[in-house]
């Protein structure tokens, strides 16, 4: 075994220990959480806009759900859309760079689809990226 003093000088060791201590203390910072708590039941959350790719209805509204991890309010899509149509709701003022986004969802009903996910780089109803989890198909797909 080689003694530490032959590998690093005191100043190099001090720099390394400072870096390691800082790295251990660094934690991710939450910049924004949208749990809809300041919204009103039956209404769209402020800053969000509903769309549909295809035909059908895109009916989004805040609704009380005591079983939600972030109760009392959740954002619910209750419209009907024929296959293949994709209702989606977009937070128009959201920006993210070098970060992550997370969504929780609970499929309630639907014969064509029971899916939810994240949309990004949204331009219009036909130009966007989405990763969605589908309970009926038991899959997660990136489109």
């Amino acid at each position: 075994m080689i003694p530490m003093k032959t590998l690093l000088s005191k100043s190099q060791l001090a720099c390394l220990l400072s870096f390691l201590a800082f790295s251990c203390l660094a934690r991710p910072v939450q910049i924004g959480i949208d749990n809809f708590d300041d919204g009103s039941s039956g209404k769209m959350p402020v800053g969000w806009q509903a769309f549909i790719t295809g035909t059908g209805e895109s009916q989004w509204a805040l609704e009380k759900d005591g079983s939600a991890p972030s109760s009392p309010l959740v954002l619910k899509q209750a419209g009907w859309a024929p296959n293949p149509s994709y209702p989606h709701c977009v937070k128009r003022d959201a920006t993210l760079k070098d970060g992550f986004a997370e969504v929780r969802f609970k499929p309630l009903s639907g014969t064509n689809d029971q899916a939810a996910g994240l949309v990004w780089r949204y331009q219009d109803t036909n130009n966007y990226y989405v990763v969605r989890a589908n309970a009926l198909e038991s899959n997660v797909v990136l489109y």
Side-chain angles (χ1 to χ4, degrees):
M1 185 163 128
I2 302 172
M4 183 64 86
K5 65 182 180 181
T6 61
L7 292 176
L8 299 172
S9 69
K10 286 183 181 179
S11 61
Q12 289 172 325
L13 181 58
C15 286
L16 177 62
L17 290 176
S18 296
F19 173 76
L20 290 174
F22 179 74
S23 297
C24 291
L25 295 175
R27 299 279 185 254
V29 177
Q30 290 184 338
I31 297 173
I33 297 176
D34 204 340
N35 57 14
F36 311 117
D37 285 346
D38 44 352
S40 298
S41 187
K43 297 187 177 187
M44 282 287 291
V46 175
W48 289 76
Q49 194 169 359
F51 301 95
I52 190 162
T53 299
T55 59
E57 299 176 72
S58 182
Q59 291 181 343
W60 293 87
L62 294 175
E63 185 176 283
K64 289 186 178 185
D65 182 351
S67 69
S70 63
S71 66
L73 296 175
V74 297
L75 181 59
K76 180 180 178 183
Q77 201 297 117
W80 181 84
N83 222 0
S85 291
Y86 308 99
H88 48 281
C89 197
V90 177
K91 184 172 172 109
R92 299 299 292 194
D93 62 349
T95 59
L96 179 68
K97 181 178 179 184
D98 298 331
F100 69 94
E102 176 180 346
V103 64
R104 295 177 185 177
F105 75 98
K106 176 172 68 173
L108 297 174
S109 63
T111 54
N112 292 337
D113 233 351
Q114 290 183 17
L118 291 168
V119 172
W120 69 98
R121 291 199 171 183
Y122 186 88
Q123 294 175 11
D124 58 44
T125 59
N126 294 309
N127 295 290
Y128 56 90
Y129 292 99
V130 61
V131 61
R132 71 176 187 131
N134 190 322
L136 290 178
E137 298 171 0
S138 298
N139 63 16
V140 177
V141 181
L142 170 64
Y143 295 99

